[in-house]
Amino acid sequence: MAFPERRRPGARGRIGVIQPAPGVMLEHEWPHWLPHDILFPVGRIRLSGPTAEGYAAAAAAAPEMARDLASAGADVIAYACTIGSLFQGVAAERALVDTLASASGKPVISLSDTCIRALRSVGATRLAVMTPYTAETNGWVEHYVAAQGLAVAGFIATPVSIVTVGNLPPEEIAALAITGMAALPDADALWIPCTAIQTMEAIATIEIATDRPVISGTQALLWHALKILGVDDAVRHAGRLWG
């Protein structure tokens, strides 16, 4: 009896995701968009609350999780907490990436830096930003964007908080974004940083309606990780980011 070639699952690459609990949206969205034979083992770290102290504690726990994901065969480690990667600024984010890379022996990407790379890739300079965050957290976002040499044209608020924003279907996210972008005509792109929001099925609809590029945390993290893996498959219907 002939057997097929033996290949490890995820032979083209494994993306190790450090996900603050109780986030689950990456696991909901990515499987529909992953290129063939890519896996993403997920490790969770406890987030005691959406505060500076909570994000700092999560970052302190991340090196051990990075080592665990490396032992699970991860080829690249992704720190998938938007605010947890930006709340202390650009230098602190880079230091966290270096710490995780040292702990794991793997290349590491963080969500906010990844989004900035994606926004620059589509030529964005002045952003509309959709978030479920508080005013204080939006302030951290705006400060980070400015430090990266971009600007915030305005924020588009979701009608519910981060606790339940994942329950909003992509159609509702698209409608909110289209309405919000109409009120911000000087924004040249939309950024949806929070991975708790269902974005992947909404991106194409928003881009067609507004004629402006859309970058989401969920989308950009996959894009950057695949680039590091050397996987150049275009992810269809996932926005201008993939050309």
Side-chain angles (χ1 to χ4, degrees):
M1 179 179 180
F3 293 97
E5 178 186 358
R6 293 176 179 176
R7 292 164 59 90
R8 76 165 191 166
R12 297 180 71 201
R14 296 184 180 185
I15 306 165
V17 177
I18 299 176
Q19 176 74 67
V24 297
M25 201 53 64
L26 285 174
E27 291 145 295
H28 173 67
E29 294 206 275
W30 271 15
H32 302 286
W33 304 87
L34 282 176
H36 173 66
D37 221 356
I38 302 291
L39 293 184
F40 64 106
V42 177
R44 282 188 166 74
I45 48 178
R46 184 185 178 199
L47 182 62
S48 59
T51 63
E53 294 76 15
Y55 292 122
E64 181 176 1
M65 186 61 64
R67 285 189 287 270
D68 289 345
L69 288 167
S71 73
D75 301 296
V76 58
I77 306 294
Y79 191 70
C81 181
T82 309
I83 302 305
S85 61
L86 67 73
F87 78 105
Q88 289 182 312
V90 175
E93 181 183 30
R94 290 173 180 163
L96 175 60
V97 166
D98 289 344
T99 297
L100 298 182
S102 178
S104 65
K106 302 293 181 180
V108 174
I109 61 178
S110 67
L111 207 152
S112 294
D113 175 73
T114 283
C115 286
I116 295 297
R117 291 170 186 261
L119 287 160
R120 288 176 176 150
S121 177
V122 298
T125 60
R126 188 166 175 79
L127 315 177
V129 185
M130 174 185 281
T131 83
Y133 303 143
T134 65
E136 178 185 23
T137 303
N138 282 343
W140 292 340
V141 171
E142 188 162 16
H143 179 80
Y144 178 86
V145 167
Q148 291 280 20
L150 306 179
V152 173
F155 286 91
I156 302 169
T158 59
V160 294
S161 74
I162 193 170
V163 175
T164 58
V165 73
N167 298 340
L168 302 184
E171 296 83 1
E172 186 170 355
I173 294 299
L176 287 166
I178 292 165
T179 299
M181 291 287 280
L184 296 168
D186 59 337
D188 57 20
L190 173 65
W191 181 27
I192 310 177
C194 182
T195 59
I197 299 175
Q198 296 191 58
T199 59
M200 295 293 283
E201 292 185 9
I203 288 170
T205 299
I206 300 167
E207 288 187 340
I208 291 168
T210 66
D211 195 27
R212 284 174 277 183
V214 178
I215 299 298
S216 81
T218 302
Q219 166 215 40
L221 202 65
L222 180 59
W223 168 80
H224 194 186
L226 291 176
K227 284 173 70 72
I228 290 175
L229 292 175
V231 175
D232 60 2
D233 303 32
V235 179
R236 296 183 63 200
H237 310 303
R240 297 185 189 179
L241 182 59
W242 265 279

